[in-house]
Amino acid sequence: MSAPISAPMSTPITALRARVSFRTEGGLARALDLLSPHMRAPALRQGLLQVVYRPGQLTEGAARLHAAFRDAHPRCSTYLPLCLPGPHSEGAREWSTPEDCAGCIYRRGGRCDGLGGDEAGAGGEAAGAAGALALLTLDERPCPPPAAPAPPPPEDLLSGARPRAYWAPSAALTAEVWALLRAEGCGAMWDVGAGSGLLGRLLCPPEVTLVSVEPLPGYAPRAPLGARHIWSTATAAEALAAHAAGLLPRPDALLLSWSPPGVSFRELVEALRPRVVVRAYDAAGFCGVRGGYRWVEVAEEEGGGARARWAGHAEAEGGWDDAAPPSGCRVALGPVEVVSLYDWRRGGAGREGRVVGFVGVNHAKDSLTA
């Protein structure tokens, strides 16, 4: 969850998500000027800017201001709606319907992110509503040879409108995770926020029971996945309740990959006390709970002034960071750089993905298998 913070620069900002709303072109200019120093901050790795437009604000002047800000801040990613005049929308604007943003052919076709009026504000970035618990035991997962198999190439995992994964593990990383789980004697691993479930399958040795926990029913498999694979269409809280009811095995390992902003799964880690926690996240700090993440809303007020409302992750302000070992744990793997979905979409420049493995040094193995 996000919570207000009094000092936006109390820690260096590495990831900044900004939302700007305005009444006049002058107000937009002042809001962008206020935001500019933060998008140039030395520690910033990645910024995201959303300018909220209304149909009457889609002017050439606003487009020039927005485009100039984009060009002047290379570490900030932003989009200009296709109904906004300018070179970016040449030949497309006449077909847009800003008066019906939700029904616009570009919005429905995934070519435009819209005018921004329906996005969540600060504190509204937590995971979605809980889904109904449904357990499916599947019975066709073949046992690969003892050595970890080579994972699919990045183009098979990251390409397409709906990628199969958010990051692409290398063969070396896959082998390291397998070795870590085996060294700790893990018998079951939960892949929480599993999505398609593919990453969990890649990183789970064949002798370890895999439990894929994914709240969105659209990801539920339509074909058998394996004898030692349990699919749970549930939230993390529902999976924890299912474990307490004896419906799911206790995990010796947790795989937590690309959590939504502000979602750390801290309660799950502390309740289950697994031997191994493997986290995948972005170096900037948008995923999960990170100390360098900030959210800011800049709005033009009546009279022409601009107001900024800052927010951060309450857990991070209290000292929690997903990239740091949980209490009683040590780093046993990484952090390892991996190619992320965002690297792929930027043409493969850089490696923003990170994978780290923690081992609970104060946890007696026998006490964790109950």
Side-chain angles (χ1 to χ4, degrees), residues 19-164:
R19 174 180 162 107
V20 169
S21 57
F22 67 100
R23 302 167 183 263
T24 64
E25 290 180 9
L28 175 60
R30 285 186 288 274
L32 294 177
D33 284 344
L34 188 153
L35 187 60
S36 181
H38 301 292
M39 288 299 182
R40 300 179 189 273
L44 185 74
R45 297 183 66 98
Q46 180 67 57
L48 299 176
L49 167 64
Q50 178 188 53
V51 177
V52 179
Y53 290 93
R54 298 183 181 89
Q57 297 170 327
L58 298 167
T59 64
E60 293 182 1
R64 284 194 296 270
L65 289 167
H66 193 167
F69 187 92
R70 175 198 62 191
D71 297 342
H73 300 81
R75 286 176 288 166
C76 177
S77 176
T78 187
Y79 71 89
L80 280 68
L82 290 177
C83 52
L84 186 67
H88 72 286
S89 61
E90 187 175 352
R93 186 179 180 226
E94 62 181 305
W95 302 102
S96 66
T97 55
E99 68 283 354
D100 179 22
C101 187
C104 181
I105 58 172
Y106 299 122
R107 186 76 183 275
R108 294 176 68 88
R111 286 193 56 198
C112 182
D113 291 335
L115 299 183
D118 57 351
E119 297 291 331
E125 299 170 352
L133 180 64
L135 299 178
L136 301 173
T137 301
L138 308 167
D139 60 6
E140 197 185 86
R141 183 177 173 210
C143 268
E155 56 266 26
D156 289 350
L157 293 172
L158 305 174
S159 61
R162 186 172 183 176
R164 300 167 71 196

Side-chain angles (χ1 to χ4, degrees), residues 30-367:
R30 285 186 288 274
L32 294 177
D33 284 344
L34 188 153
L35 187 60
S36 181
H38 301 292
M39 288 299 182
R40 300 179 189 273
L44 185 74
R45 297 183 66 98
Q46 180 67 57
L48 299 176
L49 167 64
Q50 178 188 53
V51 177
V52 179
Y53 290 93
R54 298 183 181 89
Q57 297 170 327
L58 298 167
T59 64
E60 293 182 1
R64 284 194 296 270
L65 289 167
H66 193 167
F69 187 92
R70 175 198 62 191
D71 297 342
H73 300 81
R75 286 176 288 166
C76 177
S77 176
T78 187
Y79 71 89
L80 280 68
L82 290 177
C83 52
L84 186 67
H88 72 286
S89 61
E90 187 175 352
R93 186 179 180 226
E94 62 181 305
W95 302 102
S96 66
T97 55
E99 68 283 354
D100 179 22
C101 187
C104 181
I105 58 172
Y106 299 122
R107 186 76 183 275
R108 294 176 68 88
R111 286 193 56 198
C112 182
D113 291 335
L115 299 183
D118 57 351
E119 297 291 331
E125 299 170 352
L133 180 64
L135 299 178
L136 301 173
T137 301
L138 308 167
D139 60 6
E140 197 185 86
R141 183 177 173 210
C143 268
E155 56 266 26
D156 289 350
L157 293 172
L158 305 174
S159 61
R162 186 172 183 176
R164 300 167 71 196
Y166 281 89
W167 50 276
S170 65
L173 175 60
T174 303
E176 284 190 82
V177 174
W178 280 34
L180 178 61
L181 298 184
R182 285 170 169 162
E184 292 299 313
C186 295
M189 180 176 81
W190 285 16
D191 177 11
V192 181
S196 68
L198 178 58
L199 286 174
R201 295 187 67 199
L202 290 173
L203 298 182
C204 185
E207 71 274 13
V208 175
T209 296
L210 174 64
V211 179
S212 298
V213 179
E214 169 54 50
L216 300 179
Y219 280 111
R222 293 171 175 80
L225 293 181
R228 297 181 65 91
H229 191 169
I230 300 171
W231 188 279
S232 176
T233 303
T235 65
E238 289 169 334
L240 188 60
H243 161 66
L247 299 174
L248 289 178
R250 182 177 190 137
D252 303 302
L254 283 178
L255 171 61
L256 307 170
S257 61
W258 292 89
S259 307
V263 178
S264 70
F265 296 114
R266 179 178 181 175
E267 292 183 359
L268 197 68
V269 173
E270 294 178 343
L272 294 171
R273 299 177 66 243
R275 300 176 200 169
V276 177
V277 176
V278 178
R279 282 194 181 272
Y281 56 91
D282 63 314
F286 286 105
C287 298
V289 170
R290 302 296 305 283
Y293 171 89
R294 293 293 183 271
W295 193 100
V296 62
E297 182 173 32
V298 185
E300 180 184 2
E301 297 182 310
E302 290 187 23
R307 171 183 55 85
R309 182 165 64 100
W310 289 87
H313 295 149
E315 284 182 293
E317 288 297 297
W320 177 276
D321 192 304
D322 286 345
S327 177
C329 294
R330 63 174 174 85
V331 176
L333 185 158
V336 178
E337 293 185 1
V338 295
V339 178
S340 74
L341 173 65
Y342 307 105
D343 301 327
W344 182 261
R345 288 180 173 174
R346 287 195 293 261
R351 290 192 174 190
E352 278 292 301
R354 297 290 185 271
V355 176
V356 63
F358 306 117
V359 170
V361 295
N362 295 327
H363 297 170
K365 291 185 179 181
D366 292 343
S367 71

